[in-house]
Amino acid sequence: MLILYGERGVGKTTLLSEFTRDYEDVICFDCSIVSEREQLYLWGQKMSSVLGDLPDYPTFSDIFGALGRQTEYSGKRVIIFDEFQNISKVSEDFTDYLFTHLQTSRRDVLIILCSSQVEWIENSMVKKFGLRAKNISGFLKVKELSFAEFVREFKQFTLQECVEGYAVFGGFPAIWNLIDKKLSLEENIIRNVCNPAGRLHGYGVQTVESQLRETSVYNTILCALAHGKYKLNDLYQHTGFSRAKISVYIKNLMELGILEKDFSVDTEGRENLQKGLYGIKNRYVDFTYQFLFSNEVELSKLGAEEFYRQRIRPGLKAYVQKTFAAICREYIESENRKNALPFPVKSVGKWTGKVGNIDIVATDENGRTIIGLCNWEKPMMKYEDYEWLLFCAKQAKLQVEYVYLISAGGFDEKLHLVQKSRANVRLLTPDRM
């Protein structure tokens, strides 16, 4: 039994299709968000052609009994339950029959339980399964594709377009397949995102609404998060919902991989750390709720091109800043794998302080640290930015060995002098990464 999981659109279906291509005996059960009785009815309607005659309202005994009797193929059987958490959450019997079939099958069988609810898999599933979880052979998490893979996929884009495109569309193949490679990034956003008839218009909202009920509450929370209400108390003050209600809805969004809780690296400066922050993890959902969701009327008045010029382009650099910092951390991780850093590090993360942030914190086993500041938004990184970074490092109580300054707009003269006089300071621009 294998647990295959990852956010919706990340490529799980494609991976399964490639994996099962050489298997003759593959049976796939779709698990819908319905009651146990309705799910069994749907399986009975859809699976009779595969499993043989089933009652209109089969039981789990009927379904798994048919699986046990079927001997059309002699090789390994692959059984897939797609979005299996939907049936697991409403039925104890499903889990019992599933593990019994795994243990008693007379055939060589691989059961793949596939899910888009990342948080539920990582934090709740094993508790739900109890002791039966020991029969799980492994977990495979399908992650978003990296920025480096985005660059390889969209060779026609400039480096700036790649950074901005990754910030807008994220690392989801399902979205990448809808990007027109014949157009520039700006043209893609105008024609395919802003244009109501575009391939990606409404895709971000559909990502939420297709998986959740009471979408008005979720939309309210996502709008607030997209506009800087990152703390539970901020959301409470802004939305008027109770803290308990907000917490439940945040938990559901986190289970789907749409939201994430901000985690900083653990340092001795814990008293200066800002805790309890939430953010929209799915980049295209974030972009949608920041620029499009509440502006549909204005979009219809201005038209796609003018809306982009007036409402998106002026704020795009600021929006990209967060993703650029993540891309820089990806670069540091890549350099670490190549042994190209001043010393090997065991972790790469960020630090979110009460009065300032550190974009890159890379630490080795002895506490030696490489810190970094990343700039996409400002025309130029200045010496004052470097001083502020060192101040934040003191707040975090880090043992700083090296400083990486990464800026799309270059550096002022004073920083170039700092690099010449201090061997532990390195200046980088995106084209040198």
mmCIF file with all atom_site columns, all heavy atoms in Angstrom, residues 68 113 131-132 143 178 180 233 283 353:
data_model
loop_
_atom_site.group_PDB
_atom_site.id
_atom_site.type_symbol
_atom_site.label_atom_id
_atom_site.label_alt_id
_atom_site.label_comp_id
_atom_site.label_asym_id
_atom_site.label_entity_id
_atom_site.label_seq_id
_atom_site.pdbx_PDB_ins_code
_atom_site.Cartn_x
_atom_site.Cartn_y
_atom_site.Cartn_z
_atom_site.occupancy
_atom_site.B_iso_or_equiv
_atom_site.pdbx_formal_charge
_atom_site.auth_seq_id
_atom_site.auth_comp_id
_atom_site.auth_asym_id
_atom_site.auth_atom_id
_atom_site.pdbx_PDB_model_num
ATOM 1  N N   . GLY A 1 68  ? -11.778 -9.730  -4.930  1.00 0.00 ? 68  GLY A N   1
ATOM 2  C CA  . GLY A 1 68  ? -11.113 -10.974 -4.563  1.00 0.00 ? 68  GLY A CA  1
ATOM 3  C C   . GLY A 1 68  ? -11.392 -12.105 -5.539  1.00 0.00 ? 68  GLY A C   1
ATOM 4  O O   . GLY A 1 68  ? -10.547 -12.981 -5.743  1.00 0.00 ? 68  GLY A O   1
ATOM 5  N N   . LEU A 1 113 ? -3.352  4.770   -2.525  1.00 0.00 ? 113 LEU A N   1
ATOM 6  C CA  . LEU A 1 113 ? -4.329  5.713   -1.986  1.00 0.00 ? 113 LEU A CA  1
ATOM 7  C C   . LEU A 1 113 ? -3.849  7.114   -2.337  1.00 0.00 ? 113 LEU A C   1
ATOM 8  O O   . LEU A 1 113 ? -2.802  7.560   -1.874  1.00 0.00 ? 113 LEU A O   1
ATOM 9  C CB  . LEU A 1 113 ? -4.458  5.552   -0.471  1.00 0.00 ? 113 LEU A CB  1
ATOM 10 C CG  . LEU A 1 113 ? -4.856  4.157   0.020   1.00 0.00 ? 113 LEU A CG  1
ATOM 11 C CD1 . LEU A 1 113 ? -4.951  4.137   1.545   1.00 0.00 ? 113 LEU A CD1 1
ATOM 12 C CD2 . LEU A 1 113 ? -6.166  3.707   -0.600  1.00 0.00 ? 113 LEU A CD2 1
ATOM 13 N N   . LEU A 1 131 ? -3.701  1.323   14.318  1.00 0.00 ? 131 LEU A N   1
ATOM 14 C CA  . LEU A 1 131 ? -2.652  0.307   14.186  1.00 0.00 ? 131 LEU A CA  1
ATOM 15 C C   . LEU A 1 131 ? -2.552  -0.245  12.774  1.00 0.00 ? 131 LEU A C   1
ATOM 16 O O   . LEU A 1 131 ? -1.506  -0.772  12.372  1.00 0.00 ? 131 LEU A O   1
ATOM 17 C CB  . LEU A 1 131 ? -2.900  -0.838  15.176  1.00 0.00 ? 131 LEU A CB  1
ATOM 18 C CG  . LEU A 1 131 ? -2.752  -0.483  16.655  1.00 0.00 ? 131 LEU A CG  1
ATOM 19 C CD1 . LEU A 1 131 ? -3.135  -1.672  17.533  1.00 0.00 ? 131 LEU A CD1 1
ATOM 20 C CD2 . LEU A 1 131 ? -1.322  -0.040  16.956  1.00 0.00 ? 131 LEU A CD2 1
ATOM 21 N N   . ARG A 1 132 ? -3.618  -0.105  11.995  1.00 0.00 ? 132 ARG A N   1
ATOM 22 C CA  . ARG A 1 132 ? -3.603  -0.609  10.619  1.00 0.00 ? 132 ARG A CA  1
ATOM 23 C C   . ARG A 1 132 ? -2.596  0.146   9.755   1.00 0.00 ? 132 ARG A C   1
ATOM 24 O O   . ARG A 1 132 ? -2.171  -0.346  8.704   1.00 0.00 ? 132 ARG A O   1
ATOM 25 C CB  . ARG A 1 132 ? -5.005  -0.509  10.015  1.00 0.00 ? 132 ARG A CB  1
ATOM 26 C CG  . ARG A 1 132 ? -6.017  -1.421  10.677  1.00 0.00 ? 132 ARG A CG  1
ATOM 27 C CD  . ARG A 1 132 ? -7.440  -1.093  10.298  1.00 0.00 ? 132 ARG A CD  1
ATOM 28 N NE  . ARG A 1 132 ? -7.842  0.239   10.739  1.00 0.00 ? 132 ARG A NE  1
ATOM 29 C CZ  . ARG A 1 132 ? -9.091  0.666   10.836  1.00 0.00 ? 132 ARG A CZ  1
ATOM 30 N NH1 . ARG A 1 132 ? -10.076 -0.169  10.556  1.00 0.00 ? 132 ARG A NH1 1
ATOM 31 N NH2 . ARG A 1 132 ? -9.369  1.887   11.231  1.00 0.00 ? 132 ARG A NH2 1
ATOM 32 N N   . LYS A 1 143 ? 5.487   17.115  -5.097  1.00 0.00 ? 143 LYS A N   1
ATOM 33 C CA  . LYS A 1 143 ? 5.611   18.527  -4.762  1.00 0.00 ? 143 LYS A CA  1
ATOM 34 C C   . LYS A 1 143 ? 5.481   19.397  -6.007  1.00 0.00 ? 143 LYS A C   1
ATOM 35 O O   . LYS A 1 143 ? 5.579   18.917  -7.141  1.00 0.00 ? 143 LYS A O   1
ATOM 36 C CB  . LYS A 1 143 ? 6.972   18.789  -4.102  1.00 0.00 ? 143 LYS A CB  1
ATOM 37 C CG  . LYS A 1 143 ? 7.168   18.029  -2.796  1.00 0.00 ? 143 LYS A CG  1
ATOM 38 C CD  . LYS A 1 143 ? 8.533   18.324  -2.199  1.00 0.00 ? 143 LYS A CD  1
ATOM 39 C CE  . LYS A 1 143 ? 8.750   17.542  -0.902  1.00 0.00 ? 143 LYS A CE  1
ATOM 40 N NZ  . LYS A 1 143 ? 10.075  17.826  -0.318  1.00 0.00 ? 143 LYS A NZ  1
ATOM 41 N N   . LEU A 1 178 ? -1.831  25.340  -19.505 1.00 0.00 ? 178 LEU A N   1
ATOM 42 C CA  . LEU A 1 178 ? -2.767  26.340  -20.022 1.00 0.00 ? 178 LEU A CA  1
ATOM 43 C C   . LEU A 1 178 ? -2.076  27.647  -20.411 1.00 0.00 ? 178 LEU A C   1
ATOM 44 O O   . LEU A 1 178 ? -2.723  28.578  -20.884 1.00 0.00 ? 178 LEU A O   1
ATOM 45 C CB  . LEU A 1 178 ? -3.857  26.621  -18.983 1.00 0.00 ? 178 LEU A CB  1
ATOM 46 C CG  . LEU A 1 178 ? -4.702  25.411  -18.572 1.00 0.00 ? 178 LEU A CG  1
ATOM 47 C CD1 . LEU A 1 178 ? -5.665  25.784  -17.448 1.00 0.00 ? 178 LEU A CD1 1
ATOM 48 C CD2 . LEU A 1 178 ? -5.463  24.847  -19.764 1.00 0.00 ? 178 LEU A CD2 1
ATOM 49 N N   . ASP A 1 180 ? 0.128   29.838  -22.824 1.00 0.00 ? 180 ASP A N   1
ATOM 50 C CA  . ASP A 1 180 ? 0.414   29.849  -24.259 1.00 0.00 ? 180 ASP A CA  1
ATOM 51 C C   . ASP A 1 180 ? 1.881   30.217  -24.476 1.00 0.00 ? 180 ASP A C   1
ATOM 52 O O   . ASP A 1 180 ? 2.298   31.353  -24.226 1.00 0.00 ? 180 ASP A O   1
ATOM 53 C CB  . ASP A 1 180 ? -0.502  30.861  -24.967 1.00 0.00 ? 180 ASP A CB  1
ATOM 54 C CG  . ASP A 1 180 ? -0.458  30.711  -26.484 1.00 0.00 ? 180 ASP A CG  1
ATOM 55 O OD1 . ASP A 1 180 ? 0.571   30.238  -27.014 1.00 0.00 ? 180 ASP A OD1 1
ATOM 56 O OD2 . ASP A 1 180 ? -1.453  31.084  -27.141 1.00 0.00 ? 180 ASP A OD2 1
ATOM 57 N N   . ASN A 1 233 ? -5.901  37.083  14.856  1.00 0.00 ? 233 ASN A N   1
ATOM 58 C CA  . ASN A 1 233 ? -6.611  38.230  15.412  1.00 0.00 ? 233 ASN A CA  1
ATOM 59 C C   . ASN A 1 233 ? -6.940  39.262  14.333  1.00 0.00 ? 233 ASN A C   1
ATOM 60 O O   . ASN A 1 233 ? -8.014  39.888  14.360  1.00 0.00 ? 233 ASN A O   1
ATOM 61 C CB  . ASN A 1 233 ? -5.782  38.893  16.516  1.00 0.00 ? 233 ASN A CB  1
ATOM 62 C CG  . ASN A 1 233 ? -6.589  39.899  17.304  1.00 0.00 ? 233 ASN A CG  1
ATOM 63 O OD1 . ASN A 1 233 ? -7.632  39.586  17.865  1.00 0.00 ? 233 ASN A OD1 1
ATOM 64 N ND2 . ASN A 1 233 ? -6.119  41.151  17.320  1.00 0.00 ? 233 ASN A ND2 1
ATOM 65 N N   . ARG A 1 283 ? 0.237   29.824  -5.299  1.00 0.00 ? 283 ARG A N   1
ATOM 66 C CA  . ARG A 1 283 ? 0.568   31.145  -5.847  1.00 0.00 ? 283 ARG A CA  1
ATOM 67 C C   . ARG A 1 283 ? -0.512  31.682  -6.778  1.00 0.00 ? 283 ARG A C   1
ATOM 68 O O   . ARG A 1 283 ? -0.795  32.884  -6.788  1.00 0.00 ? 283 ARG A O   1
ATOM 69 C CB  . ARG A 1 283 ? 1.923   31.081  -6.571  1.00 0.00 ? 283 ARG A CB  1
ATOM 70 C CG  . ARG A 1 283 ? 3.085   30.854  -5.614  1.00 0.00 ? 283 ARG A CG  1
ATOM 71 C CD  . ARG A 1 283 ? 4.433   31.042  -6.297  1.00 0.00 ? 283 ARG A CD  1
ATOM 72 N NE  . ARG A 1 283 ? 5.491   30.901  -5.314  1.00 0.00 ? 283 ARG A NE  1
ATOM 73 C CZ  . ARG A 1 283 ? 6.209   29.791  -5.109  1.00 0.00 ? 283 ARG A CZ  1
ATOM 74 N NH1 . ARG A 1 283 ? 5.957   28.722  -5.844  1.00 0.00 ? 283 ARG A NH1 1
ATOM 75 N NH2 . ARG A 1 283 ? 7.146   29.746  -4.200  1.00 0.00 ? 283 ARG A NH2 1
ATOM 76 N N   . GLY A 1 353 ? 10.742  38.237  11.820  1.00 0.00 ? 353 GLY A N   1
ATOM 77 C CA  . GLY A 1 353 ? 10.837  38.905  13.103  1.00 0.00 ? 353 GLY A CA  1
ATOM 78 C C   . GLY A 1 353 ? 9.711   39.900  13.337  1.00 0.00 ? 353 GLY A C   1
ATOM 79 O O   . GLY A 1 353 ? 8.941   40.222  12.436  1.00 0.00 ? 353 GLY A O   1
#
